[in-house]
């Protein structure tokens, strides 16, 4: 089951085998029973009831029939900064009890996320107003050239806008935009749309473009993800 919230997305269910990949979000991983296993870059093997992974760390997860909770927290949110600080100076590690206990609760995911924000004392994070406007405009229009058009409207160079994004989002603006596109496609898939329609909803050129992008950022294709989520519903993966 996929769930989307303000600044986060989550999946709960069995885990398909992932290829090594990296994405522009903080990843929280929790086992509904036993331990989760995550293989990170540089040969690191992590085990635990709940793990925190910083953005842009290459990793993979072996297939598991056990139920896992995967939460992706967007880098521009205050919660993402709080979570990364909990494992610093490492970029991957076991979640401390304040996060682990919340993730292992039987609450719905939206309640878990509200609880985490309250537990960690999430404060309002102020973005540069120019970047905030550019992100809003870019999130509303997936068409190619969005970054250049937003920079021009702000009387900034494209390089300057990209530098602002890197400094405040801890990720390249192009990667953040891909994340937005994948979110739109993911929402469409969760609503039962076939892959071709989900690709168009996200602003991808075609289904193959969505496949390549999702494979690169999540280690699985939309078809593979849909097979795990709804293995008996072939309508979602046509």
């Amino acid at each position: 089951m996929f769930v989307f919230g303000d600044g986060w997305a989550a999946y709960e269910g069995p885990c398909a085998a992932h290829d090594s990949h990296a994405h522009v979000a903080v990843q929280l991983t929790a086992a509904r029973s036993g331990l989760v296993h995550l293989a990170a870059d540089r040969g690191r093997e992590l085990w635990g009831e709940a793990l925190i992974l910083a953005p842009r760390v290459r990793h993979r997860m072996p297939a598991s029939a056990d139920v896992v909770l995967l939460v992706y927290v967007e880098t521009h949110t205050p919660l993402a900064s709080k979570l990364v600080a909990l494992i610093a100076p490492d970029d991957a590690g076991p979640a401390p009890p304040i996060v682990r206990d919340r993730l292992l609760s039987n609450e719905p995911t939206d309640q878990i996320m509200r609880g985490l924000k309250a537990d960690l004392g999430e404060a309002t994070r102020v973005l540069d107003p120019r970047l905030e406007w550019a992100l809003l405009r870019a999130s509303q229009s997936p068409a190619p050239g969005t970054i250049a058009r937003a920079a021009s409207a702000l009387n900034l160079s494209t390089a300057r806008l990209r530098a602002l994004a890197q400094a405040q989002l801890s990720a390249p603006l192009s990667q953040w935009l891909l994340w937005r596109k994948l979110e739109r496609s993911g929402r469409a898939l969760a609503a039962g749309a076939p892959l071709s329609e989900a690709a168009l909803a996200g602003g991808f050129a075609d289904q193959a473009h969505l496949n390549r992008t999702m494979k690169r950022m999540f280690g699985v294709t939309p078809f593979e993800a849909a097979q795990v989520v709804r293995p008996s519903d072939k309508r979602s993966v046509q």
Side-chain angles (χ1 to χ4, degrees):
M1 179 179 66
F2 285 102
V3 180
F4 296 88
D6 183 14
W8 58 269
Y11 163 77
E12 185 170 0
C15 182
H18 292 63
D19 290 344
S20 180
H21 64 283
H23 42 66
V24 286
V26 177
Q27 179 177 309
L28 303 175
T29 306
R32 287 312 190 196
S33 63
L35 302 176
V36 289
H37 175 210
L38 188 149
D41 57 6
R42 302 194 299 276
R44 293 175 293 174
E45 300 284 337
L46 301 175
W47 298 82
E49 292 179 297
L51 305 172
I52 299 176
L53 187 72
R56 304 178 69 191
V57 176
R58 295 200 66 82
H59 63 283
R60 62 178 179 82
M61 292 181 64
S64 173
D66 295 329
V67 174
V68 297
L69 173 65
L70 300 175
V71 181
Y72 303 96
V73 184
E74 297 178 13
T75 57
H76 69 281
T77 62
L79 181 59
S81 299
K82 294 277 189 178
L83 291 167
V84 171
L86 291 175
I87 57 172
D90 294 327
D91 55 14
I98 192 172
V99 175
R100 180 199 64 206
D101 293 347
R102 183 66 68 176
L103 292 173
L104 296 180
S105 71
N106 291 320
E107 298 174 326
T109 309
D110 58 344
Q111 291 184 27
I112 289 175
M113 297 308 292
R114 284 197 296 270
L116 278 178
K117 292 176 181 180
D119 294 341
L120 298 180
E122 182 188 48
T124 301
R125 184 176 182 182
V126 179
L127 293 177
D128 185 296
R130 297 167 296 177
L131 178 60
E132 189 171 23
W133 182 88
L135 293 180
L136 177 61
R137 178 164 177 167
S139 66
Q140 294 172 339
S141 174
T146 295
I147 296 175
R149 288 192 298 272
S152 178
L154 291 167
N155 292 318
L156 293 175
S157 68
T158 302
R160 177 57 181 155
L161 181 57
R162 291 183 186 276
L164 280 174
Q166 180 66 52
Q168 297 205 359
L169 303 179
S170 301
L173 184 52
S174 59
Q175 295 297 298
W176 188 89
L177 291 174
L178 275 180
W179 184 263
R180 293 262 67 79
K181 294 171 73 170
L182 286 168
E183 180 190 2
R184 285 190 291 268
S185 291
R187 288 179 183 273
L189 284 171
L195 286 177
S196 57
E197 292 181 12
L200 291 177
F204 292 96
D206 52 30
Q207 182 176 322
H209 187 196
L210 171 60
N211 283 341
R212 292 193 302 271
T213 303
M214 190 168 178
K215 183 75 170 181
R216 187 171 74 250
M217 295 190 73
F218 287 96
V220 294
T221 66
F223 179 86
E224 292 166 337
Q227 290 291 86
V228 173
V229 178
R230 288 174 290 184
S232 62
D233 187 357
K234 297 300 187 290
R235 294 173 299 172
S236 64
V237 293
Q238 291 175 350

